[in-house]
Amino acid sequence: MPVAPLSDAEFTWVRDRIAGFCGLYFDQELKYLVERRLLRRLEARHLRSFGEYLLYLQRPSAGSQELSLLVENLATNETYFFREDFQLRAFREEILPEIKARKEATGEHRLRIFSAGCSSGEEPYTIAMLILESQAFSDWKVEILAGDISATMIEIARRGIYSAASFRVTDEYYLQKYFTKLNGKYQILPAVKDLVHFNVLNLLLAEKSPPLLNLDIIFCRNVIIYFNLESKRQLVAQFYRLLREEGFLLLGHSESLMNLSTAFRLRHLRHDLVYQKPPHEGKD
Ligand SMILES: C[S@@+](CC[C@H](N)C(=O)[O-])C[C@H]1O[C@@H](n2cnc3c(N)ncnc32)[C@H](O)[C@@H]1O
């Protein structure tokens, strides 16, 4: 029997439930998309109507598991190696040397970077390759933490095997140096893989993950663009707390902190504009 269309009231309920859970927000124009993905999930659960599916989502434990699966179906996971080259140039040529100089002065040889919303891993592996290339941190403890709400994406990231679409802007040099060929695909070398620690995590709850403290740089690119205003603000405030003083926040090229936070300083670097947590006021 065909399933009756998703009503506006059902759409609003599920839309708000998703936004409260993980920040992703779908406005009325995307109702068709939400309906299509919901249909997939209700068929997978052998349910007969959207009403039944929404009731299923309200079940104490099965409901939150199902919500995660629904979010996996709805999130945009688009990513590729060396995305947003101008920003990566700022990272490599300006941010890393600045952090290195600052830390050399105190003798702290530790670098902690978080790729927030890392999808299938191309972003944190790009960061790792750039750090290895710089050769400036070879005797340092370098940790690149990477998290995504999608268990499927994190599984792909941990496997580290990619096809041509992931390399649409990658220089042949990096392919040759940091990957091995495997059945027409490319596998990332252990030297890169070992620098990155992947976790399934909901960014809105990132503060509950203890290893995420004291970060030098947070990359959160092409993630908040899909969030509602309240979740954007909540996430940015959390990033502020997770960053060390003078730590950097790098957003995607179409994202900014306008209307979200005034706590960060906007730095005009040669290659890009980036956000920085200011040093503690009143410090010498
Ligand atoms: C478009 S991809 C961006 C990937 C990468 N940062 C880039 O710029 O290429 C957005 C990713 O954010 C993830 N995401 C969305 N909401 C999230 C949340 N609340 N917690 C963790 N990850 C989330 C999605 O699963 C998706 O993989």
Side-chain angles (χ1 to χ4, degrees):
M1 217 172 59
V3 173
L6 182 70
S7 71
D8 281 347
E10 286 167 337
F11 169 67
T12 306
W13 186 88
V14 78
R15 186 258 305 274
D16 292 348
R17 182 81 184 84
I18 292 167
F21 172 63
C22 67
L24 289 177
Y25 185 76
F26 300 90
D27 54 27
Q28 193 69 28
E29 291 98 85
L30 289 172
K31 182 181 166 194
Y32 76 96
L33 176 84
V34 174
E35 180 165 4
R36 233 189 275 155
R37 303 293 157 84
L38 279 173
L39 189 60
R40 242 193 241 169
R41 289 306 312 153
L42 83 87
E43 283 169 357
R45 292 283 174 211
H46 307 292
L47 300 172
R48 284 163 304 176
S49 68
F50 288 116
E52 276 187 19
Y53 184 74
L54 299 200
L55 281 176
Y56 190 93
L57 282 180
Q58 293 169 62
R59 286 195 192 175
S61 105
S64 58
Q65 267 172 27
E66 179 55 35
L67 195 55
S68 299
L69 291 171
L70 177 61
V71 164
E72 287 221 13
N73 272 267
L74 279 165
T76 304
N77 303 118
E78 163 79 358
T79 188
Y80 46 93
F81 287 100
F82 295 94
R83 188 175 194 176
E84 296 180 20
D85 173 60
F86 56 94
Q87 189 179 57
L88 296 175
R89 231 180 300 155
F91 167 69
R92 192 179 61 218
E93 295 174 20
E94 300 175 81
I95 295 175
L96 283 180
E98 182 177 316
I99 292 179
K100 179 162 164 129
R102 196 189 323 130
K103 291 202 172 189
E104 288 286 9
T106 62
E108 186 202 330
H109 288 175
R110 189 174 184 202
L111 182 65
R112 280 165 69 73
I113 299 177
F114 178 38
S115 166
C118 65
S119 189
S120 39
E122 287 88 331
E123 178 178 278
Y125 285 141
T126 298
I127 297 167
M129 285 187 272
L130 290 173
I131 289 174
L132 288 172
E133 272 304 296
S134 82
Q135 295 183 3
F137 300 93
S138 30
D139 53 347
W140 284 42
K141 180 170 165 55
V142 175
E143 294 162 293
I144 302 167
L145 310 159
D148 200 283
I149 200 162
S150 164
T152 310
M153 288 304 124
I154 292 298
E155 206 182 304
I156 296 171
R158 286 192 176 128
R159 211 178 305 141
I161 300 172
Y162 297 95
S163 51
S166 295
F167 299 106
R168 63 193 87 159
V169 300
T170 303
D171 237 68
E172 188 62 26
Y173 168 84
Y174 288 98
L175 262 181
Q176 296 297 332
K177 186 164 176 184
Y178 294 106
F179 294 85
T180 49
K181 268 203 172 148
L182 188 81
N183 306 325
K185 295 192 171 184
Y186 292 89
Q187 181 165 36
I188 195 111
L189 290 184
V192 185
K193 207 174 187 187
D194 292 349
L195 289 179
V196 186
H197 310 278
F198 290 101
N199 273 303
V200 178
L201 97 111
N202 182 349
L203 287 173
L204 292 188
L205 307 173
E207 235 164 352
K208 301 215 163 97
S209 302
L212 282 177
L213 283 169
N214 287 324
L215 298 164
D216 294 301
I217 308 171
I218 297 176
F219 282 81
C220 185
R221 309 190 306 166
N222 310 299
V223 176
I224 63 169
I225 193 173
Y226 302 107
F227 279 23
N228 65 355
L229 185 64
E230 192 191 325
S231 308
K232 286 181 192 185
R233 287 188 175 146
Q234 195 183 322
L235 186 59
V236 167
Q238 195 182 204
F239 284 160
Y240 185 87
R241 295 189 289 272
L242 293 177
L243 279 169
R244 300 175 61 134
E245 285 174 27
E246 300 185 87
F248 291 90
L249 173 62
L250 275 56
L251 300 175
H253 75 275
S254 57
E255 298 161 327
S256 85
L257 292 187
M258 209 193 303
N259 294 323
L260 301 184
S261 169
T262 52
F264 289 84
R265 209 165 72 175
L266 183 62
R267 288 274 310 271
H268 294 251
L269 301 180
R270 258 183 306 121
H271 295 297
D272 198 13
L273 299 179
V274 298
Y275 292 100
Q276 186 174 29
K277 178 170 175 170
H280 184 57
E281 275 171 31
K283 216 173 83 167
D284 295 332

